[in-house]
Amino acid sequence: MRTSKEQKEIQAVEFAIGKILRIGVIVSAAIIFFGLVLLLAKGGTGYKLNETPNTLILILTGLWALKPGAYIMAGIFCLILTPVLRVVVSIYAFLKEKDYLYVTITIIVLIILLIGIFTGFVERK
């Protein structure tokens, strides 16, 4: 049986997880919206046809150069990272609950997500 203090800590972590998801979606939407406004203002993505910024370096340099395509991709990148951050916070929550089975499972999920992110391939022509 959990004490009142433990229950409050668990509720605080669950609230933080929900807040992270909301903030992540809002920030992503704002970045994408800014990219769309730039796209309308500039009349193009700032890249050649069939070319998109698909690495972190290209996205960052595109952001610095105010390229609309880079802002849209940065927003999508933030949207992808939001659930990854949720998994990280969930590991902390399960540690607080001392539920080591779910800590292990969640760490495995995080490893799979990171492998997927870092080994994803881009078709090059």
Side-chain angles (χ1 to χ4, degrees), residues 67-118:
K67 292 184 177 183
Y71 278 90
I72 294 169
M73 288 300 288
I76 293 169
F77 184 70
C78 286
L79 193 61
I80 290 169
L81 286 182
T82 299
V84 175
L85 184 58
R86 188 238 189 270
V87 170
V88 171
V89 174
S90 293
I91 292 170
Y92 172 76
F94 292 134
L95 279 171
K96 281 293 225 181
E97 293 179 19
K98 296 183 170 103
D99 194 341
Y100 300 112
L101 174 63
Y102 281 107
V103 169
T104 304
I105 291 168
T106 310
I107 288 172
I108 292 169
V109 168
L110 180 62
I111 290 169
I112 292 168
L113 283 170
L114 293 176
I115 289 170
I117 289 170
F118 291 113

Side-chain angles (χ1 to χ4, degrees), residues 9-122:
E9 287 178 0
I10 292 168
Q11 287 175 343
V13 171
E14 289 173 355
F15 179 76
I17 289 170
K19 197 172 188 178
I20 287 168
L21 292 173
R22 280 190 299 278
I23 290 171
V25 169
I26 291 168
V27 168
S28 298
I31 294 170
I32 292 170
F33 180 75
F34 181 72
L36 291 173
V37 169
L38 276 177
L39 181 70
L40 291 173
K42 291 190 172 196
T45 64
Y47 295 95
K48 296 177 185 172
L49 190 61
N50 296 329
E51 183 181 300
T52 57
N54 51 20
T55 65
L56 190 57
I57 302 286
L58 289 175
I59 291 172
L60 292 175
T61 55
L63 293 175
W64 183 256
L66 289 175
K67 292 184 177 183
Y71 278 90
I72 294 169
M73 288 300 288
I76 293 169
F77 184 70
C78 286
L79 193 61
I80 290 169
L81 286 182
T82 299
V84 175
L85 184 58
R86 188 238 189 270
V87 170
V88 171
V89 174
S90 293
I91 292 170
Y92 172 76
F94 292 134
L95 279 171
K96 281 293 225 181
E97 293 179 19
K98 296 183 170 103
D99 194 341
Y100 300 112
L101 174 63
Y102 281 107
V103 169
T104 304
I105 291 168
T106 310
I107 288 172
I108 292 169
V109 168
L110 180 62
I111 290 169
I112 292 168
L113 283 170
L114 293 176
I115 289 170
I117 289 170
F118 291 113
T119 63
F121 69 93
V122 177

Side-chain angles (χ1 to χ4, degrees), residues 1-7 10 97 99:
M1 190 78 180
R2 293 187 179 118
T3 65
S4 176
K5 182 181 177 186
E6 289 173 336
Q7 192 64 29
I10 292 168
E97 293 179 19
D99 194 341

